[in-house]
Amino acid sequence: MISKNAGLVGKRIKMMRLAKGMKQKQLADGLKISQSNMSNIESGRCAVTIDHLIILREIFACSMNDFFVDIEKSADKSSNKGYSVEDLFKIVAKLKG
C-alpha cells in the first residue's frame, strides 16, 4: 500500500504539470516512463522515485521542497493562512485557459 504522502506528492506533480500546460504523455516521455505509470504516480497508486523527482525539478524549474509542501501543510494544520499552494496552482491553470 502506498503512503498518504506519496499520494500528496503525486497530486502536486499533477498540479504542476497542469499549471505548465503539459499533457500527461509529454511528462511521461520526459521521465522515460509509460503514461500509465505516470497516471499511477499522479493518482498516488505508485510512488515517484528520487531520480524522477530530480528530473521533474528540472522540467518544472522548481525546488525539491515544492513537491512536499502539502506534506508539511498536513503536518501543521495551524499554518492555514490565505491561499494554499494548491489553490494558487489552480488559479494559474485557470488563467492560462
Side-chain angles (χ1 to χ4, degrees):
M1 182 174 164
I2 301 299
S3 74
K4 178 183 173 189
N5 291 341
L8 291 172
V9 172
K11 186 177 180 181
R12 172 52 43 93
I13 291 167
K14 181 177 181 178
M15 288 187 314
M16 295 171 96
R17 174 180 62 78
L18 293 173
K20 196 161 176 91
M22 294 180 75
K23 301 281 186 195
Q24 195 175 63
K25 174 79 169 117
Q26 290 174 296
L27 190 55
D29 289 346
L31 294 174
K32 296 180 177 49
I33 61 174
S34 69
Q35 184 175 354
S36 64
N37 193 7
M38 188 74 246
S39 175
N40 286 335
I41 290 169
E42 289 184 352
S43 66
R45 292 187 297 266
C46 175
V48 66
T49 67
I50 295 294
D51 290 336
H52 287 148
L53 282 175
I54 291 168
I55 295 167
L56 288 167
R57 181 185 57 135
E58 293 172 13
I59 290 171
F60 296 132
C62 66
S63 74
M64 279 295 210
N65 290 340
D66 293 335
F67 297 110
F68 303 103
V69 170
D70 289 332
I71 295 169
E72 294 170 9
K73 185 174 117 182
S74 68
D76 182 19
K77 295 279 185 185
S78 65
S79 67
N80 190 9
K81 301 174 186 169
Y83 290 107
S84 70
V85 174
E86 180 181 4
D87 292 334
L88 294 174
F89 274 113
K90 287 177 183 177
I91 291 168
V92 169
K94 284 183 182 181
L95 290 172
K96 287 187 173 183

